Amino acid sequence: MKELVQLTEGWSLDHDGDPLPARVPGCVHTDLLAAGRIPDPYLGLNEHEVAWVGRRAWTYSRALEPDEAAEQPHERTDLVFDGLDTAALITLDGQELGRTRNMHRRYRFDVTGRHGLLRVEFASAYDEADAVRALTGERPNVYPEPFQYVRKMACGFGWDWGPTLVTAGMWRPVRLERWSTARLARVRPLVTVRDGVGRVELRVDVERTGRGAGRRLEVRARAGGIRARAAVDGNAAVLTLELPDAELWWPRGYGEQPLYDLDVTLVDQDAADDAAGGADDGRLDHWTRRIGFRDVVLDRSPDEHGTAFTFLVNGVPVFVRGVNWIPDDAFPSRVTPGRYRARLEQAAGAGVDLVRIWGGGIYEDDAFYDACDELGLMVWQDFLFACAAYPEEQPLRGEVEAEARDNVVRLMPHPSLVLWNGNNENLWGFCDWGWEPALDGDSWGGGYYLDLLPRVVAELDPTRAYTAGSPWSGSWDHHPNDPAHGTHHSWEVWNRRDYAEYRDSVPRFVAEFGWQAPPAMATLRRALPGESLAPDSPGMLHHQKAEDGNGKLARGLARHFTPPEGDFDRWHYLTQVVQARAVATGIEHWRSHWPVCAGTVVWQLNDCWPVSSWAAVDGDGRPKPLYHELRRVYADRLLTLQPGGDADGPVLAVVNQSAEPWHAPVTLRRVRADGSTVAEQVLDLTVGARQVHRRTVPRDLAPDAASAEEFLVADAETGAEADAGSGAGAGTGGLRALHFPVPDKDFAHPAPRYDVEVVTPAGEGDGGGRGNVEVVVTAHTLVRDLLLQADRLGPDAVCDTGLRTLLPGESVRLRVRDAAETGEDAVRTALFCVEPA
């Protein structure tokens, strides 16, 4: 059998002639940090202090000992790099093994019988980009960095949420593979299901040694108790497994996620025959993955509304509740399987069922996709092109094809993977961002997205859909970002408008939209030690990467609230409220128009460092109020009130994405600012499975469109689904929707009054002030958007609930874990709500 020797130890990094210990997998920055040679670039303004690291060459080395490279008892020893970042020269004992120029693919070199000093010399990514640009010519780009000339994580060169930290190093594992006769070079399982029968068509390629030529080889496969075998014809074999009554894999919320172990073994049949049942059974190599049986169809048919973009999973149309994913760390080698799991469990906990891996990052580690398989999170995978015109000439074209082939084969076993996407915003950019005249006929990437990549997917992974880009209308017959056709990115609202204007259109599928807010207070304090925090303090400005980001935050806030001059705590709270409300406004509106709109993918779930951004979970892993709001608006059952037109009153929309009909008696109340009820009516509604019910609110219940003293409340009970704060503020469980006719700054909010009681549940706490507590808040007035910022009670403290709105007499129970301070005074200072203008 093939033998693996991991080369994780013994590496050193040459730092101006001074060898430093190096960690593999890792990168230059993390090694320099560990050696105390650079400050933490995530803190304060330190990013500037380490900019030099990405602009120079670096060399890693270790001794490859004779016993490591010895071929006995094997015929062949390969040196395998799963990830080299990025332009590298590899030598062994002074002899060149090869050169690389792509972070996103794997490399293999024959080192049979060789040993000595192994060196990996990384050029500066800037130097590599300059060399390629000199060959291909200049191309337009939305950022002043040359990322489109090098096959490397684009956002490492800085983005509107990320630092400029241009890495180098062996960022994925390095190993020796010793083998004889033949090895499994490529295994492609084409997994389908029809009429309850799961089918796995395995296409296997092998590589032989010289002595392996002519040997009789056999591939054996097993899954779900079914076995198959096939002889290798030349260097390839095809075999099929059929599993009757295969259990279906479903996205979370639609069913379970059964997974089957698929085992593939390569056998030397000649050796097996000679052994005649002895210890040597002829096994040469083994490959195993977990697969799932599901049928995913992307409906892109024309209809009376334009062109659909609807996922059907196992025949069931799905309204996608998605989030965009960026690399979870600017140094991706630091992201462990446990960290992937934690972040994706956060996504699942927010009701998410699809994660889009954005094209300016990386093809994530298998641990990411493993977790998605298990959690029922569908994966939309971008090919790695974003926000720039990419040359299609050599040396890039060959790298792009090799990278695509490598990653399609690596990722295709995962049932969570449902879509390949050609690029992020480049088709749109070609049309609208002045690229076409600047290019003057030069290549820009269109040949990748509309020709090369779809051919690669059709050849290697024909079971999955491919789309040329996001946004993309499906053809040049329509503008690439036409909301009526295909996928749409909605950025005009954040950039220029009030979030209420999300309601002005009903795109077929919203693949990006979002609103910014600062991270949690504990995250800011860690990242900006000693700084007197203000929206425009030096560290806050440095950790705001978006163009005019603070200006957009300020304008978005001012449309709804009186800006709290000089009060950073209030500014911090209110900008987080606006973020949560903005995203909720879009999702509620678009969900209420299912099935015309078939999904929303929020920009973004996560951050790669502590920064003001669109993320729901900040760079330290702390949920913002937006995260909890996603739990509400992405729940199976949603109640929402939408403003009507000029002549119509508000519209009540009752959204049922569950598999069962929902009998939903809805209590509608027109309420004064003092909490008294003016009018009330119960609507006895039943909403079918996967359906939406819309109706105009009765006229006598609708507040005047300009009223500053009345608002509308809708409440519905849903049973257990209302637990853990799923209601939009309902004090007694269930779902609640609110409609205020005017912005908060114009509404007659009373001064909020409420009681606070801190309860330590039996058996909780350690007697030293740290522990789990429940905070019971009882309102005496209208208390709008109450928020407990748990991290103010200790950096590890977490609250199970986000924004809640209470009417007079209502109570809410907030559960807090790992609080360092639990006294009533401390809790009161951590509570915020909307106050009168």
Side-chain angles (χ1 to χ4, degrees):
M1 282 288 286
K2 183 169 68 177
E3 179 184 5
L4 305 183
V5 179
Q6 300 297 332
L7 301 182
T8 58
E9 305 295 332
W11 291 93
S12 64
L13 171 67
D14 184 1
H15 180 254
D16 296 330
D18 179 15
L20 303 176
R23 184 180 181 87
V24 175
C27 72
V28 171
H29 288 82
T30 54
D31 290 333
L32 294 175
L33 270 169
R37 302 303 176 94
I38 60 172
D40 187 340
Y42 289 6
L43 304 185
L45 308 182
N46 290 344
E47 178 192 351
H48 296 313
E49 300 300 316
V50 303
W52 60 273
V53 175
R55 293 190 173 274
R56 55 160 291 178
W58 297 92
T59 297
Y60 285 85
S61 61
R62 84 183 294 275
L64 190 62
E65 302 296 345
D67 62 327
E68 291 178 315
E71 68 271 22
Q72 297 299 327
H74 299 283
E75 298 174 50
R76 173 88 169 262
T77 300
D78 288 345
L79 174 62
V80 181
F81 296 94
D82 283 341
L84 291 171
D85 177 15
T86 292
L89 167 66
I90 300 103
T91 61
L92 177 57
D93 196 27
Q95 304 270 321
E96 179 177 327
L97 292 177
R99 296 173 183 263
T100 71
R101 60 194 331 153
N102 195 325
M103 178 181 183
H104 305 304
R105 54 179 290 208
R106 295 169 288 186
Y107 294 92
R108 177 181 294 268
F109 304 100
D110 183 353
V111 295
T112 305
R114 301 174 64 179
H115 57 86
L117 184 64
L118 177 60
R119 289 169 58 89
V120 184
E121 302 174 29
F122 290 98
S124 163
Y126 285 103
D127 291 344
E128 168 71 6
D130 288 345
V132 172
R133 178 163 44 192
L135 294 172
T136 64
E138 193 77 29
R139 297 294 193 280
N141 182 346
V142 298
Y143 295 107
E145 294 279 339
F147 60 81
Q148 74 265 49
Y149 305 104
V150 58
R151 295 309 299 158
K152 176 176 171 59
M153 184 174 80
C155 62
F157 288 90
W159 220 260
D160 56 4
W161 38 258
T164 301
L165 295 168
V166 180
T167 53
M170 290 168 280
W171 72 291
R172 280 186 168 156
V174 182
R175 65 186 173 277
L176 295 174
E177 293 189 3
R178 300 168 175 167
W179 55 283
S180 299
T181 306
R183 70 177 185 90
L184 293 168
R186 190 170 70 170
V187 179
R188 293 191 296 120
L190 303 176
V191 182
T192 55
V193 60
R194 176 169 295 181
D195 298 329
V197 178
R199 188 173 191 271
V200 185
E201 181 183 302
L202 275 165
R203 295 188 169 266
V204 179
D205 297 320
V206 304
E207 181 185 5
R208 298 176 186 252
T209 65
R211 281 184 282 177
R215 302 284 291 183
R216 290 187 303 126
L217 305 180
E218 183 177 86
V219 176
R220 301 171 183 174
R222 181 180 72 248
I226 305 298
R227 298 172 183 268
R229 59 175 60 191
V232 176
D233 182 6
N235 291 321
V238 179
L239 60 162
T240 301
L241 296 163
E242 291 193 345
L243 282 69
D245 303 319
E247 295 183 82
L248 294 180
W249 184 97
W250 290 92
R252 61 163 304 283
Y254 288 79
E256 299 303 314
Q257 294 79 43
L259 298 171
Y260 292 80
D261 291 324
L262 172 61
D263 293 300
V264 178
T265 303
L266 178 64
V267 177
D268 181 346
Q269 192 60 45
D270 288 333
D273 290 346
D274 293 342
D280 183 2
D281 58 3
R283 289 184 300 165
L284 301 173
D285 202 356
H286 181 247
W287 178 100
T288 184
R289 298 290 188 276
R290 290 182 306 169
I291 60 171
F293 294 98
R294 82 290 181 277
D295 178 63
V296 180
V297 174
L298 182 56
D299 178 7
R300 289 180 275 197
S301 57
D303 58 27
E304 67 272 25
H305 304 287
T307 307
F309 196 90
T310 304
F311 288 92
L312 288 83
V313 183
N314 301 325
V316 177
V318 171
F319 182 95
V320 164
R321 294 168 277 188
V323 288
N324 282 273
W325 171 277
I326 65 171
D328 205 52
D329 200 304
F331 307 130
S333 60
R334 298 201 296 199
V335 183
T336 63
R339 183 160 157 186
Y340 276 129
R341 170 72 61 164
R343 198 70 68 245
L344 291 168
E345 285 180 347
Q346 285 178 311
V352 168
D353 59 21
L354 179 143
V355 180
R356 175 194 171 207
I357 301 179
W358 166 78
I362 59 174
Y363 304 99
E364 298 290 346
D365 187 81
D366 282 302
F368 176 97
Y369 306 90
D370 287 341
C372 290
D373 293 343
E374 295 165 12
L375 294 169
L377 296 172
M378 296 180 288
V379 175
W380 160 334
Q381 176 69 61
D382 281 15
F383 288 101
L384 300 184
F385 304 89
C387 301
Y390 285 78
E392 296 176 40
E393 292 77 28
Q394 297 292 11
L396 289 177
R397 186 176 184 85
E399 288 295 339
V400 166
E401 181 167 358
E403 164 193 321
R405 289 180 175 277
D406 192 351
N407 285 284
V408 168
V409 171
R410 178 172 73 90
L411 300 180
M412 62 185 290
H414 292 281
S416 56
L417 179 61
V418 298
L419 181 68
W420 293 104
N421 174 50
N423 75 89
N424 176 76
E425 298 190 344
N426 293 343
L427 296 160
W428 180 18
F430 180 73
C431 280
D432 280 5
W433 300 349
W435 293 1
E436 188 171 9
L439 287 162
D440 193 25
D442 286 342
S443 65
W444 55 279
Y448 295 147
Y449 320 134
L450 299 167
D451 180 23
L452 174 62
L453 295 174
R455 283 193 290 107
V456 169
V457 172
E459 174 193 341
L460 298 177
D461 189 19
T463 67
R464 286 186 176 84
Y466 171 87
T467 184
S470 185
W472 179 233
S473 59
S475 78
W476 290 118
D477 294 339
H478 308 287
H479 186 278
N481 201 28
D482 187 333
H485 300 276
T487 51
H488 176 68
H489 288 196
S490 179
W491 284 116
E492 282 296 298
V493 170
W494 157 252
N495 285 319
R496 296 172 183 85
R497 301 177 182 173
D498 180 26
Y499 63 71
E501 295 184 56
Y502 282 133
R503 302 187 182 108
D504 289 351
S505 68
V506 182
R508 305 310 303 270
F509 192 102
V510 187
E512 280 190 20
F513 78 107
W515 202 274
Q516 269 203 355
M521 186 63 69
T523 301
L524 286 174
R525 287 172 176 155
R526 186 193 69 82
L528 305 175
E531 180 162 314
S532 180
L533 296 176
D536 59 354
S537 60
M540 286 295 296
L541 290 177
H542 182 70
H543 289 248
Q544 166 60 274
K545 296 294 186 178
E547 181 181 5
D548 190 31
N550 271 16
K552 293 169 185 176
L553 282 175
R555 290 188 291 276
L557 189 154
R559 293 184 183 108
H560 295 269
F561 298 98
T562 302
E565 298 297 334
D567 188 339
F568 181 78
D569 286 349
R570 292 296 300 174
W571 176 87
H572 179 265
Y573 159 74
L574 289 174
T575 51
Q576 290 197 331
V577 168
V578 172
Q579 180 190 37
R581 286 197 196 173
V583 172
T585 295
I587 293 174
E588 289 185 22
H589 167 66
W590 294 319
R591 280 193 73 180
S592 76
H593 285 278
W594 161 261
V596 176
C597 180
T600 59
V601 188
V602 176
W603 188 269
Q604 64 216 63
L605 173 68
N606 59 324
D607 268 325
C608 64
W609 77 314
V611 65
S612 292
S613 84
W614 299 265
V617 178
D618 74 20
D620 282 6
R622 294 186 176 94
K624 298 181 188 178
L626 170 60
Y627 174 82
H628 296 281
E629 197 68 355
L630 288 178
R631 291 175 60 202
R632 181 181 71 85
V633 296
Y634 272 170
D636 281 353
R637 293 174 174 175
L638 173 68
L639 203 62
T640 178
L641 290 164
Q642 300 290 313
D646 293 338
D648 300 324
V651 172
L652 169 69
V654 186
V655 181
N656 180 23
Q657 202 166 342
S658 72
E660 302 296 331
W662 179 19
H663 178 227
V666 178
T667 301
L668 289 171
R669 287 180 285 171
R670 180 155 60 99
V671 180
R672 293 191 181 94
D674 65 6
S676 59
T677 297
V678 178
E680 180 174 336
Q681 183 176 339
V682 177
L683 305 178
D684 193 25
L685 305 177
T686 298
V687 186
R690 322 287 189 202
Q691 293 184 16
V692 177
H693 177 87
R694 293 172 59 93
R695 69 164 56 185
T696 301
V697 171
R699 188 172 299 277
D700 64 327
L701 291 172
D704 185 85
S707 175
E709 297 183 346
E710 291 186 347
F711 60 102
L712 180 62
V713 182
D715 287 311
E717 295 295 331
T718 66
E721 192 168 358
D723 290 348
S726 65
T732 58
L735 303 184
R736 168 167 289 172
L738 301 166
H739 169 63
F740 285 76
V742 297
D744 287 75
K745 64 181 181 179
D746 299 323
F747 190 77
H749 282 288
R753 291 186 295 108
Y754 52 84
D755 292 333
V756 176
E757 181 184 8
V758 180
V759 179
T760 302
E764 299 286 355
D766 59 8
R770 173 181 290 276
N772 301 340
V773 298
E774 294 180 353
V775 177
V776 181
V777 179
T778 302
H780 298 294
T781 63
L782 170 66
V783 177
R784 190 172 188 197
D785 284 335
L786 179 75
L787 176 67
L788 175 61
Q789 292 189 353
D791 58 290
R792 291 177 180 267
L793 302 177
D796 298 326
V798 178
C799 183
D800 71 337
T801 305
L803 302 169
R804 302 295 292 268
T805 292
L806 304 178
L807 302 182
E810 291 182 340
S811 296
V812 64
R813 185 175 294 265
L814 314 174
R815 298 174 179 87
V816 180
R817 292 186 290 107
D818 298 326
E821 300 182 58
T822 56
E824 184 178 317
D825 290 344
V827 169
R828 281 188 173 274
T829 63
L831 284 167
F832 293 81
C833 65
V834 173
E835 296 180 352

